[in-house]
Amino acid sequence: MTKAKSLSQNYKTLQTELDTVMIELQREDLDVDTALKHYQRGLELINQIEQYLKSAENKVVELKAKFNVPA
């Protein structure tokens, strides 16, 4: 498996897990302790997704520079 494909699947996995956490947080029967755990996990996932997207953005900038594509 190529690195790009692996990273893409990683992003999809993170996004899917975040979607699941968000659905869980919307449950009416959710207790406070579980909600806090889900909230924390959601913040962790958001951080990981932001890091992934920043890395992808940096890669695009590098590729543009390498191939002399105007910004």
Side-chain angles (χ1 to χ4, degrees):
M1 180 181 308
T2 67
K3 185 176 181 181
K5 189 171 184 180
S6 175
L7 289 174
S8 176
Q9 288 181 338
N10 186 36
Y11 176 82
K12 288 178 184 180
T13 301
L14 292 170
Q15 186 62 52
T16 299
E17 186 178 351
L18 180 58
D19 291 343
T20 301
V21 167
M22 295 302 295
I23 290 168
E24 285 296 310
L25 282 170
Q26 295 174 18
R27 288 184 35 211
E28 292 182 21
D29 63 339
L30 191 63
D31 66 86
V32 173
D33 292 327
T34 303
L36 286 172
K37 288 178 186 176
H38 285 317
Y39 182 76
Q40 179 178 352
R41 182 62 183 148
L43 292 176
E44 292 167 352
L45 290 165
I46 289 168
N47 186 42
Q48 289 176 326
I49 290 169
E50 287 175 344
Q51 288 176 6
Y52 173 86
L53 292 174
K54 185 64 177 172
S55 175
E57 181 181 13
N58 290 340
K59 182 66 175 176
V60 168
V61 169
E62 289 174 15
L63 289 170
K64 284 183 172 183
K66 180 178 178 179
F67 292 100
N68 297 319
V69 176

Short mmCIF file of all heavy atoms in Angstrom, two decimals:
data_model
loop_
_atom_site.label_atom_id
_atom_site.label_comp_id
_atom_site.label_asym_id
_atom_site.label_seq_id
_atom_site.Cartn_x
_atom_site.Cartn_y
_atom_site.Cartn_z
N MET A 1 0.84 -1.17 0.00
CA MET A 1 0.00 0.00 0.00
C MET A 1 0.89 1.24 0.00
O MET A 1 1.86 1.32 0.74
CB MET A 1 -0.91 -0.03 1.24
CG MET A 1 -1.83 1.15 1.35
SD MET A 1 -2.87 1.12 2.85
CE MET A 1 -3.58 -0.49 2.77
N THR A 2 0.55 2.20 -0.82
CA THR A 2 1.36 3.41 -0.88
C THR A 2 1.13 4.26 0.35
O THR A 2 0.11 4.16 1.02
CB THR A 2 1.02 4.22 -2.14
OG1 THR A 2 -0.32 4.71 -2.02
CG2 THR A 2 1.18 3.41 -3.41
N LYS A 3 2.09 5.16 0.60
CA LYS A 3 1.99 6.04 1.77
C LYS A 3 0.77 6.96 1.64
O LYS A 3 0.05 7.17 2.61
CB LYS A 3 3.27 6.86 1.92
CG LYS A 3 3.29 7.70 3.16
CD LYS A 3 4.62 8.41 3.32
CE LYS A 3 4.61 9.22 4.60
NZ LYS A 3 5.86 9.93 4.79
N ALA A 4 0.53 7.49 0.44
CA ALA A 4 -0.62 8.40 0.23
C ALA A 4 -1.93 7.68 0.51
O ALA A 4 -2.83 8.22 1.16
CB ALA A 4 -0.60 8.96 -1.17
N LYS A 5 -2.04 6.45 0.04
CA LYS A 5 -3.26 5.69 0.27
C LYS A 5 -3.43 5.39 1.76
O LYS A 5 -4.51 5.49 2.30
CB LYS A 5 -3.24 4.39 -0.54
CG LYS A 5 -4.55 3.64 -0.52
CD LYS A 5 -4.55 2.50 -1.49
CE LYS A 5 -5.91 1.83 -1.51
NZ LYS A 5 -5.97 0.72 -2.44
N SER A 6 -2.33 5.06 2.43
CA SER A 6 -2.37 4.79 3.86
C SER A 6 -2.81 6.04 4.63
O SER A 6 -3.63 5.95 5.54
CB SER A 6 -0.99 4.33 4.33
OG SER A 6 -0.99 4.19 5.73
N LEU A 7 -2.25 7.21 4.27
CA LEU A 7 -2.64 8.44 4.94
C LEU A 7 -4.10 8.76 4.69
O LEU A 7 -4.81 9.21 5.58
CB LEU A 7 -1.76 9.60 4.47
CG LEU A 7 -0.32 9.57 4.95
CD1 LEU A 7 0.48 10.69 4.29
CD2 LEU A 7 -0.24 9.67 6.45
N SER A 8 -4.58 8.53 3.48
CA SER A 8 -5.97 8.79 3.14
C SER A 8 -6.88 7.91 3.99
O SER A 8 -7.89 8.36 4.51
CB SER A 8 -6.22 8.53 1.66
OG SER A 8 -7.58 8.70 1.36
N GLN A 9 -6.54 6.64 4.12
CA GLN A 9 -7.35 5.75 4.94
C GLN A 9 -7.28 6.17 6.40
O GLN A 9 -8.26 6.07 7.12
CB GLN A 9 -6.90 4.31 4.78
CG GLN A 9 -7.28 3.74 3.43
CD GLN A 9 -6.86 2.31 3.26
OE1 GLN A 9 -5.96 1.82 3.94
NE2 GLN A 9 -7.50 1.61 2.35
N ASN A 10 -6.14 6.66 6.85
CA ASN A 10 -6.00 7.14 8.20
C ASN A 10 -6.96 8.31 8.42
O ASN A 10 -7.64 8.39 9.43
CB ASN A 10 -4.56 7.54 8.50
CG ASN A 10 -4.34 7.91 9.94
OD1 ASN A 10 -4.92 7.33 10.84
ND2 ASN A 10 -3.51 8.90 10.16
N TYR A 11 -7.02 9.23 7.47
CA TYR A 11 -7.93 10.36 7.58
C TYR A 11 -9.37 9.88 7.64
O TYR A 11 -10.14 10.33 8.48
CB TYR A 11 -7.73 11.31 6.40
CG TYR A 11 -8.72 12.45 6.41
CD1 TYR A 11 -8.50 13.56 7.21
CD2 TYR A 11 -9.88 12.39 5.66
CE1 TYR A 11 -9.41 14.60 7.25
CE2 TYR A 11 -10.80 13.42 5.70
CZ TYR A 11 -10.56 14.52 6.49
OH TYR A 11 -11.48 15.53 6.54
N LYS A 12 -9.70 8.94 6.77
CA LYS A 12 -11.07 8.41 6.75
C LYS A 12 -11.40 7.74 8.08
O LYS A 12 -12.51 7.88 8.59
CB LYS A 12 -11.25 7.42 5.60
CG LYS A 12 -11.29 8.08 4.26
CD LYS A 12 -11.43 7.05 3.15
CE LYS A 12 -11.36 7.70 1.79
NZ LYS A 12 -11.49 6.72 0.71
N THR A 13 -10.46 7.02 8.64
CA THR A 13 -10.67 6.36 9.92
C THR A 13 -10.90 7.39 11.02
O THR A 13 -11.82 7.24 11.84
CB THR A 13 -9.46 5.48 10.27
OG1 THR A 13 -9.28 4.50 9.25
CG2 THR A 13 -9.65 4.78 11.60
N LEU A 14 -10.08 8.42 11.05
CA LEU A 14 -10.24 9.48 12.05
C LEU A 14 -11.59 10.17 11.90
O LEU A 14 -12.29 10.40 12.89
CB LEU A 14 -9.12 10.51 11.92
CG LEU A 14 -7.71 10.06 12.28
CD1 LEU A 14 -6.69 11.11 11.87
CD2 LEU A 14 -7.61 9.75 13.77
N GLN A 15 -11.96 10.49 10.67
CA GLN A 15 -13.22 11.19 10.43
C GLN A 15 -14.42 10.31 10.81
O GLN A 15 -15.38 10.77 11.42
CB GLN A 15 -13.33 11.60 8.96
CG GLN A 15 -14.54 12.45 8.66
CD GLN A 15 -14.55 13.77 9.42
OE1 GLN A 15 -13.59 14.51 9.39
NE2 GLN A 15 -15.63 14.05 10.12
N THR A 16 -14.34 9.03 10.49
CA THR A 16 -15.41 8.10 10.84
C THR A 16 -15.57 7.99 12.35
O THR A 16 -16.69 8.01 12.87
CB THR A 16 -15.15 6.70 10.23
OG1 THR A 16 -15.10 6.84 8.81
CG2 THR A 16 -16.23 5.72 10.61
N GLU A 17 -14.44 7.89 13.05
CA GLU A 17 -14.50 7.81 14.51
C GLU A 17 -15.07 9.10 15.10
O GLU A 17 -15.89 9.07 16.03
CB GLU A 17 -13.13 7.52 15.11
CG GLU A 17 -13.22 7.28 16.61
CD GLU A 17 -11.89 6.93 17.26
OE1 GLU A 17 -10.89 6.69 16.56
OE2 GLU A 17 -11.87 6.90 18.51
N LEU A 18 -14.66 10.24 14.56
CA LEU A 18 -15.20 11.52 15.03
C LEU A 18 -16.71 11.59 14.80
O LEU A 18 -17.45 12.03 15.67
CB LEU A 18 -14.50 12.69 14.35
CG LEU A 18 -14.96 14.08 14.77
CD1 LEU A 18 -14.79 14.29 16.28
CD2 LEU A 18 -14.20 15.14 13.99
N ASP A 19 -17.16 11.13 13.65
CA ASP A 19 -18.60 11.11 13.37
C ASP A 19 -19.33 10.24 14.40
O ASP A 19 -20.41 10.62 14.88
CB ASP A 19 -18.87 10.57 11.96
CG ASP A 19 -18.42 11.53 10.87
OD1 ASP A 19 -18.20 12.73 11.16
OD2 ASP A 19 -18.28 11.07 9.71
N THR A 20 -18.75 9.11 14.74
CA THR A 20 -19.35 8.21 15.72
C THR A 20 -19.42 8.87 17.09
O THR A 20 -20.44 8.79 17.79
CB THR A 20 -18.54 6.89 15.81
OG1 THR A 20 -18.54 6.27 14.52
CG2 THR A 20 -19.14 5.95 16.84
N VAL A 21 -18.34 9.56 17.48
CA VAL A 21 -18.31 10.26 18.76
C VAL A 21 -19.40 11.34 18.78
O VAL A 21 -20.12 11.48 19.78
CB VAL A 21 -16.92 10.89 19.02
CG1 VAL A 21 -16.96 11.88 20.17
CG2 VAL A 21 -15.91 9.79 19.30
N MET A 22 -19.54 12.07 17.70
CA MET A 22 -20.55 13.13 17.64
C MET A 22 -21.97 12.56 17.77
O MET A 22 -22.82 13.13 18.46
CB MET A 22 -20.43 13.91 16.32
CG MET A 22 -19.12 14.68 16.20
SD MET A 22 -18.85 15.86 17.53
CE MET A 22 -20.17 17.00 17.22
N ILE A 23 -22.20 11.44 17.14
CA ILE A 23 -23.51 10.78 17.25
C ILE A 23 -23.76 10.35 18.69
O ILE A 23 -24.85 10.55 19.24
CB ILE A 23 -23.61 9.58 16.29
CG1 ILE A 23 -23.67 10.09 14.84
CG2 ILE A 23 -24.81 8.70 16.61
CD1 ILE A 23 -23.48 9.02 13.79
N GLU A 24 -22.74 9.78 19.32
CA GLU A 24 -22.88 9.34 20.71
C GLU A 24 -23.17 10.52 21.63
O GLU A 24 -23.97 10.40 22.57
CB GLU A 24 -21.62 8.61 21.17
CG GLU A 24 -21.49 7.20 20.62
CD GLU A 24 -22.60 6.29 21.10
OE1 GLU A 24 -22.86 6.25 22.31
OE2 GLU A 24 -23.21 5.62 20.25
N LEU A 25 -22.51 11.65 21.39
CA LEU A 25 -22.73 12.82 22.24
C LEU A 25 -24.15 13.38 22.13
O LEU A 25 -24.60 14.09 23.01
CB LEU A 25 -21.71 13.92 21.89
CG LEU A 25 -20.31 13.71 22.46
CD1 LEU A 25 -19.34 14.70 21.86
CD2 LEU A 25 -20.32 13.80 23.98
N GLN A 26 -24.84 13.04 21.08
CA GLN A 26 -26.21 13.53 20.87
C GLN A 26 -27.26 12.63 21.51
O GLN A 26 -28.44 12.99 21.53
CB GLN A 26 -26.48 13.68 19.38
CG GLN A 26 -25.62 14.75 18.75
CD GLN A 26 -25.78 14.83 17.25
OE1 GLN A 26 -26.75 14.33 16.69
NE2 GLN A 26 -24.82 15.45 16.59
N ARG A 27 -26.84 11.50 22.07
CA ARG A 27 -27.79 10.59 22.71
C ARG A 27 -28.40 11.24 23.95
O ARG A 27 -27.69 11.86 24.74
CB ARG A 27 -27.11 9.28 23.12
CG ARG A 27 -26.77 8.40 21.95
CD ARG A 27 -26.17 7.07 22.34
NE ARG A 27 -26.72 6.54 23.59
CZ ARG A 27 -26.03 5.78 24.42
NH1 ARG A 27 -24.78 5.47 24.17
NH2 ARG A 27 -26.57 5.32 25.52
N GLU A 28 -29.68 11.09 24.11
CA GLU A 28 -30.37 11.69 25.25
C GLU A 28 -30.10 10.95 26.55
O GLU A 28 -30.17 11.54 27.63
CB GLU A 28 -31.87 11.73 24.98
CG GLU A 28 -32.25 12.70 23.88
CD GLU A 28 -33.74 12.77 23.65
OE1 GLU A 28 -34.52 12.40 24.56
OE2 GLU A 28 -34.12 13.20 22.55
N ASP A 29 -29.77 9.68 26.48
CA ASP A 29 -29.56 8.87 27.69
C ASP A 29 -28.09 8.79 28.11
O ASP A 29 -27.71 7.97 28.94
CB ASP A 29 -30.12 7.47 27.49
CG ASP A 29 -29.42 6.69 26.38
OD1 ASP A 29 -28.80 7.32 25.50
OD2 ASP A 29 -29.51 5.45 26.40
N LEU A 30 -27.26 9.66 27.58
CA LEU A 30 -25.83 9.64 27.85
C LEU A 30 -25.54 10.23 29.23
O LEU A 30 -25.97 11.34 29.55
CB LEU A 30 -25.11 10.45 26.77
CG LEU A 30 -23.60 10.35 26.71
CD1 LEU A 30 -23.16 8.92 26.39
CD2 LEU A 30 -23.07 11.30 25.65
N ASP A 31 -24.81 9.47 30.06
CA ASP A 31 -24.46 10.00 31.38
C ASP A 31 -23.26 10.95 31.27
O ASP A 31 -22.53 10.95 30.28
CB ASP A 31 -24.17 8.86 32.37
CG ASP A 31 -22.94 8.06 32.00
OD1 ASP A 31 -21.84 8.48 32.40
OD2 ASP A 31 -23.09 7.03 31.30
N VAL A 32 -23.07 11.74 32.28
CA VAL A 32 -22.06 12.81 32.26
C VAL A 32 -20.65 12.24 32.10
O VAL A 32 -19.85 12.77 31.32
CB VAL A 32 -22.16 13.68 33.53
CG1 VAL A 32 -21.01 14.67 33.58
CG2 VAL A 32 -23.49 14.38 33.60
N ASP A 33 -20.32 11.18 32.82
CA ASP A 33 -18.97 10.62 32.74
C ASP A 33 -18.65 10.13 31.33
O ASP A 33 -17.56 10.38 30.81
CB ASP A 33 -18.80 9.48 33.74
CG ASP A 33 -18.83 9.96 35.18
OD1 ASP A 33 -18.37 11.09 35.43
OD2 ASP A 33 -19.33 9.21 36.04
N THR A 34 -19.59 9.44 30.72
CA THR A 34 -19.39 8.96 29.36
C THR A 34 -19.32 10.12 28.38
O THR A 34 -18.50 10.12 27.46
CB THR A 34 -20.52 7.99 28.96
OG1 THR A 34 -20.57 6.91 29.91
CG2 THR A 34 -20.31 7.42 27.58
N ALA A 35 -20.15 11.13 28.60
CA ALA A 35 -20.13 12.31 27.73
C ALA A 35 -18.76 12.99 27.79
O ALA A 35 -18.23 13.41 26.76
CB ALA A 35 -21.24 13.28 28.13
N LEU A 36 -18.19 13.09 28.97
CA LEU A 36 -16.87 13.71 29.12
C LEU A 36 -15.80 12.91 28.38
O LEU A 36 -14.91 13.48 27.75
CB LEU A 36 -16.51 13.86 30.59
CG LEU A 36 -17.24 14.97 31.33
CD1 LEU A 36 -16.96 14.90 32.82
CD2 LEU A 36 -16.86 16.33 30.78
N LYS A 37 -15.89 11.59 28.47
CA LYS A 37 -14.93 10.74 27.76
C LYS A 37 -15.06 10.93 26.25
O LYS A 37 -14.06 11.04 25.54
CB LYS A 37 -15.13 9.27 28.13
CG LYS A 37 -14.68 8.94 29.53
CD LYS A 37 -14.93 7.49 29.86
CE LYS A 37 -14.60 7.21 31.32
NZ LYS A 37 -14.92 5.83 31.70
N HIS A 38 -16.30 10.96 25.77
CA HIS A 38 -16.53 11.17 24.34
C HIS A 38 -16.04 12.55 23.91
O HIS A 38 -15.45 12.71 22.85
CB HIS A 38 -18.02 11.02 23.99
CG HIS A 38 -18.50 9.61 23.97
ND1 HIS A 38 -17.80 8.56 23.41
CD2 HIS A 38 -19.66 9.07 24.42
CE1 HIS A 38 -18.49 7.44 23.54
NE2 HIS A 38 -19.62 7.72 24.15
N TYR A 39 -16.30 13.55 24.73
CA TYR A 39 -15.87 14.91 24.43
C TYR A 39 -14.35 14.98 24.32
O TYR A 39 -13.81 15.55 23.37
CB TYR A 39 -16.39 15.87 25.51
CG TYR A 39 -16.04 17.31 25.25
CD1 TYR A 39 -16.71 18.05 24.29
CD2 TYR A 39 -15.02 17.93 25.97
CE1 TYR A 39 -16.39 19.37 24.06
CE2 TYR A 39 -14.69 19.25 25.74
CZ TYR A 39 -15.37 19.98 24.79
OH TYR A 39 -15.04 21.28 24.55
N GLN A 40 -13.66 14.36 25.27
CA GLN A 40 -12.20 14.34 25.24
C GLN A 40 -11.71 13.64 23.98
O GLN A 40 -10.80 14.13 23.30
CB GLN A 40 -11.64 13.66 26.48
CG GLN A 40 -10.12 13.60 26.47
CD GLN A 40 -9.55 12.96 27.73
OE1 GLN A 40 -10.27 12.67 28.68
NE2 GLN A 40 -8.26 12.71 27.73
N ARG A 41 -12.29 12.49 23.68
CA ARG A 41 -11.87 11.75 22.48
C ARG A 41 -12.14 12.58 21.23
O ARG A 41 -11.32 12.60 20.30
CB ARG A 41 -12.58 10.40 22.40
CG ARG A 41 -12.16 9.57 21.22
CD ARG A 41 -10.68 9.24 21.27
NE ARG A 41 -10.29 8.50 20.09
CZ ARG A 41 -9.09 8.58 19.53
NH1 ARG A 41 -8.15 9.33 20.06
NH2 ARG A 41 -8.81 7.91 18.46
N GLY A 42 -13.25 13.28 21.20
CA GLY A 42 -13.56 14.13 20.05
C GLY A 42 -12.51 15.20 19.86
O GLY A 42 -12.07 15.46 18.73
N LEU A 43 -12.08 15.83 20.94
CA LEU A 43 -11.04 16.85 20.85
C LEU A 43 -9.72 16.26 20.36
O LEU A 43 -9.00 16.88 19.56
CB LEU A 43 -10.84 17.53 22.20
CG LEU A 43 -12.00 18.41 22.68
CD1 LEU A 43 -11.71 18.94 24.08
CD2 LEU A 43 -12.27 19.54 21.71
N GLU A 44 -9.39 15.06 20.83
CA GLU A 44 -8.18 14.39 20.37
C GLU A 44 -8.25 14.11 18.87
O GLU A 44 -7.28 14.34 18.14
CB GLU A 44 -7.98 13.07 21.13
CG GLU A 44 -7.64 13.25 22.60
CD GLU A 44 -7.75 11.96 23.41
OE1 GLU A 44 -8.24 10.94 22.88
OE2 GLU A 44 -7.36 12.00 24.59
N LEU A 45 -9.40 13.63 18.42
CA LEU A 45 -9.57 13.34 17.00
C LEU A 45 -9.50 14.60 16.15
O LEU A 45 -8.87 14.61 15.09
CB LEU A 45 -10.91 12.62 16.76
CG LEU A 45 -10.97 11.20 17.30
CD1 LEU A 45 -12.42 10.72 17.34
CD2 LEU A 45 -10.12 10.26 16.46
N ILE A 46 -10.12 15.68 16.62
CA ILE A 46 -10.06 16.95 15.90
C ILE A 46 -8.61 17.41 15.77
O ILE A 46 -8.19 17.85 14.69
CB ILE A 46 -10.94 18.01 16.59
CG1 ILE A 46 -12.41 17.66 16.40
CG2 ILE A 46 -10.62 19.41 16.07
CD1 ILE A 46 -13.36 18.47 17.27
N ASN A 47 -7.85 17.28 16.83
CA ASN A 47 -6.44 17.66 16.80
C ASN A 47 -5.67 16.82 15.77
O ASN A 47 -4.88 17.36 14.99
CB ASN A 47 -5.81 17.51 18.18
CG ASN A 47 -4.40 18.03 18.24
OD1 ASN A 47 -4.09 19.07 17.68
ND2 ASN A 47 -3.53 17.29 18.89
N GLN A 48 -5.91 15.53 15.75
CA GLN A 48 -5.23 14.65 14.80
C GLN A 48 -5.62 15.00 13.36
O GLN A 48 -4.77 15.00 12.46
CB GLN A 48 -5.55 13.19 15.09
CG GLN A 48 -4.91 12.68 16.36
CD GLN A 48 -5.31 11.25 16.68
OE1 GLN A 48 -6.45 10.84 16.41
NE2 GLN A 48 -4.40 10.50 17.24
N ILE A 49 -6.90 15.28 13.14
CA ILE A 49 -7.36 15.63 11.80
C ILE A 49 -6.74 16.96 11.36
O ILE A 49 -6.29 17.09 10.21
CB ILE A 49 -8.91 15.69 11.76
CG1 ILE A 49 -9.48 14.27 11.87
CG2 ILE A 49 -9.40 16.38 10.49
CD1 ILE A 49 -10.97 14.22 12.11
N GLU A 50 -6.68 17.93 12.26
CA GLU A 50 -6.06 19.21 11.92
C GLU A 50 -4.59 19.03 11.57
O GLU A 50 -4.09 19.65 10.63
CB GLU A 50 -6.22 20.20 13.07
CG GLU A 50 -7.62 20.73 13.21
CD GLU A 50 -7.82 21.63 14.42
OE1 GLU A 50 -6.97 21.62 15.35
OE2 GLU A 50 -8.84 22.35 14.44
N GLN A 51 -3.88 18.19 12.31
CA GLN A 51 -2.48 17.92 12.01
C GLN A 51 -2.34 17.26 10.64
O GLN A 51 -1.45 17.60 9.86
CB GLN A 51 -1.87 17.01 13.08
CG GLN A 51 -1.65 17.69 14.40
CD GLN A 51 -1.12 16.74 15.47
OE1 GLN A 51 -0.81 15.59 15.22
NE2 GLN A 51 -1.02 17.24 16.70
N TYR A 52 -3.22 16.32 10.35
CA TYR A 52 -3.20 15.65 9.05
C TYR A 52 -3.41 16.65 7.93
O TYR A 52 -2.68 16.66 6.94
CB TYR A 52 -4.27 14.55 8.99
CG TYR A 52 -4.37 13.96 7.61
CD1 TYR A 52 -3.54 12.92 7.23
CD2 TYR A 52 -5.27 14.46 6.68
CE1 TYR A 52 -3.59 12.40 5.95
CE2 TYR A 52 -5.32 13.95 5.41
CZ TYR A 52 -4.49 12.92 5.05
OH TYR A 52 -4.54 12.42 3.78
N LEU A 53 -4.41 17.52 8.09
CA LEU A 53 -4.72 18.49 7.04
C LEU A 53 -3.59 19.50 6.87
O LEU A 53 -3.28 19.91 5.75
CB LEU A 53 -6.04 19.20 7.35
CG LEU A 53 -7.28 18.31 7.25
CD1 LEU A 53 -8.52 19.07 7.71
CD2 LEU A 53 -7.46 17.77 5.85
N LYS A 54 -2.96 19.91 7.96
CA LYS A 54 -1.83 20.83 7.88
C LYS A 54 -0.67 20.16 7.14
O LYS A 54 -0.01 20.79 6.30
CB LYS A 54 -1.38 21.27 9.28
CG LYS A 54 -0.30 22.30 9.28
CD LYS A 54 -0.79 23.59 8.64
CE LYS A 54 0.28 24.66 8.69
NZ LYS A 54 -0.07 25.82 7.92
N SER A 55 -0.45 18.90 7.41
CA SER A 55 0.60 18.15 6.72
C SER A 55 0.29 18.06 5.23
O SER A 55 1.18 18.23 4.39
CB SER A 55 0.73 16.75 7.33
OG SER A 55 1.64 15.98 6.61
N ALA A 56 -0.96 17.80 4.89
CA ALA A 56 -1.36 17.72 3.49
C ALA A 56 -1.18 19.08 2.81
O ALA A 56 -0.71 19.15 1.67
CB ALA A 56 -2.82 17.26 3.38
N GLU A 57 -1.54 20.14 3.51
CA GLU A 57 -1.36 21.49 2.96
C GLU A 57 0.11 21.78 2.69
O GLU A 57 0.47 22.31 1.63
CB GLU A 57 -1.93 22.53 3.93
CG GLU A 57 -1.81 23.95 3.44
CD GLU A 57 -2.35 24.97 4.44
OE1 GLU A 57 -2.60 24.61 5.61
OE2 GLU A 57 -2.53 26.12 4.04
N ASN A 58 0.96 21.42 3.63
CA ASN A 58 2.41 21.61 3.46
C ASN A 58 2.93 20.82 2.26
O ASN A 58 3.79 21.29 1.52
CB ASN A 58 3.17 21.22 4.73
CG ASN A 58 2.94 22.19 5.86
OD1 ASN A 58 2.54 23.33 5.66
ND2 ASN A 58 3.18 21.72 7.08
N LYS A 59 2.41 19.62 2.07
CA LYS A 59 2.83 18.79 0.94
C LYS A 59 2.42 19.44 -0.38
O LYS A 59 3.20 19.44 -1.34
CB LYS A 59 2.21 17.39 1.06
CG LYS A 59 2.61 16.44 -0.01
CD LYS A 59 4.09 16.12 0.06
CE LYS A 59 4.44 15.06 -0.97
NZ LYS A 59 5.87 14.80 -1.01
N VAL A 60 1.24 20.02 -0.43
CA VAL A 60 0.79 20.71 -1.64
C VAL A 60 1.72 21.89 -1.95
O VAL A 60 2.12 22.10 -3.10
CB VAL A 60 -0.68 21.18 -1.50
CG1 VAL A 60 -1.06 22.14 -2.61
CG2 VAL A 60 -1.62 19.99 -1.48
N VAL A 61 2.08 22.65 -0.92
CA VAL A 61 2.99 23.78 -1.11
C VAL A 61 4.33 23.28 -1.65
O VAL A 61 4.90 23.87 -2.58
CB VAL A 61 3.17 24.56 0.22
CG1 VAL A 61 4.30 25.57 0.12
CG2 VAL A 61 1.87 25.24 0.61
N GLU A 62 4.84 22.20 -1.08
CA GLU A 62 6.11 21.62 -1.54
C GLU A 62 6.02 21.18 -3.00
O GLU A 62 6.93 21.43 -3.79
CB GLU A 62 6.50 20.42 -0.68
CG GLU A 62 6.94 20.75 0.71
CD GLU A 62 7.16 19.51 1.56
OE1 GLU A 62 7.26 18.38 1.00
OE2 GLU A 62 7.23 19.65 2.79
N LEU A 63 4.92 20.52 -3.36
CA LEU A 63 4.75 20.05 -4.73
C LEU A 63 4.65 21.22 -5.71
O LEU A 63 5.23 21.18 -6.80
CB LEU A 63 3.52 19.16 -4.84
CG LEU A 63 3.64 17.79 -4.20
CD1 LEU A 63 2.29 17.09 -4.14
CD2 LEU A 63 4.67 16.94 -4.95
N LYS A 64 3.92 22.27 -5.32
CA LYS A 64 3.83 23.45 -6.18
C LYS A 64 5.20 24.06 -6.40
O LYS A 64 5.54 24.45 -7.52
CB LYS A 64 2.88 24.47 -5.59
CG LYS A 64 1.42 24.14 -5.75
CD LYS A 64 0.55 25.26 -5.19
CE LYS A 64 -0.90 25.04 -5.50
NZ LYS A 64 -1.72 26.16 -5.02
N ALA A 65 5.99 24.15 -5.35
CA ALA A 65 7.32 24.71 -5.46
C ALA A 65 8.21 23.83 -6.35
O ALA A 65 8.96 24.34 -7.19
CB ALA A 65 7.95 24.88 -4.08
N LYS A 66 8.10 22.54 -6.17
CA LYS A 66 8.92 21.61 -6.94
C LYS A 66 8.63 21.69 -8.43
O LYS A 66 9.52 21.60 -9.26
CB LYS A 66 8.68 20.17 -6.44
CG LYS A 66 9.48 19.13 -7.17
CD LYS A 66 9.23 17.75 -6.60
CE LYS A 66 10.01 16.69 -7.37
NZ LYS A 66 9.79 15.37 -6.82
N PHE A 67 7.35 21.86 -8.77
CA PHE A 67 6.95 21.88 -10.17
C PHE A 67 6.68 23.30 -10.68
O PHE A 67 6.07 23.47 -11.74
CB PHE A 67 5.73 20.99 -10.38
CG PHE A 67 6.04 19.53 -10.18
CD1 PHE A 67 5.72 18.89 -8.98
CD2 PHE A 67 6.68 18.80 -11.16
CE1 PHE A 67 6.01 17.55 -8.79
CE2 PHE A 67 6.99 17.46 -10.98
CZ PHE A 67 6.65 16.83 -9.79
N ASN A 68 7.13 24.29 -9.93
CA ASN A 68 7.00 25.70 -10.32
C ASN A 68 5.56 26.09 -10.68
O ASN A 68 5.31 26.78 -11.66
CB ASN A 68 7.92 26.02 -11.49
CG ASN A 68 9.37 25.86 -11.13
OD1 ASN A 68 9.79 26.25 -10.04
ND2 ASN A 68 10.15 25.25 -12.00
N VAL A 69 4.62 25.64 -9.86
CA VAL A 69 3.22 26.00 -10.04
C VAL A 69 2.98 27.28 -9.24
O VAL A 69 3.31 27.32 -8.05
CB VAL A 69 2.28 24.87 -9.55
CG1 VAL A 69 0.83 25.28 -9.65
CG2 VAL A 69 2.54 23.59 -10.34
N PRO A 70 2.39 28.31 -9.87
CA PRO A 70 2.14 29.54 -9.12
C PRO A 70 1.21 29.30 -7.94
O PRO A 70 0.27 28.52 -8.04
CB PRO A 70 1.50 30.47 -10.13
CG PRO A 70 1.53 29.78 -11.43
CD PRO A 70 1.94 28.37 -11.23
N ALA A 71 1.47 30.01 -6.87
CA ALA A 71 0.65 29.87 -5.67
C ALA A 71 -0.69 30.53 -5.81
O ALA A 71 -0.94 31.37 -6.57
CB ALA A 71 1.38 30.45 -4.47
#
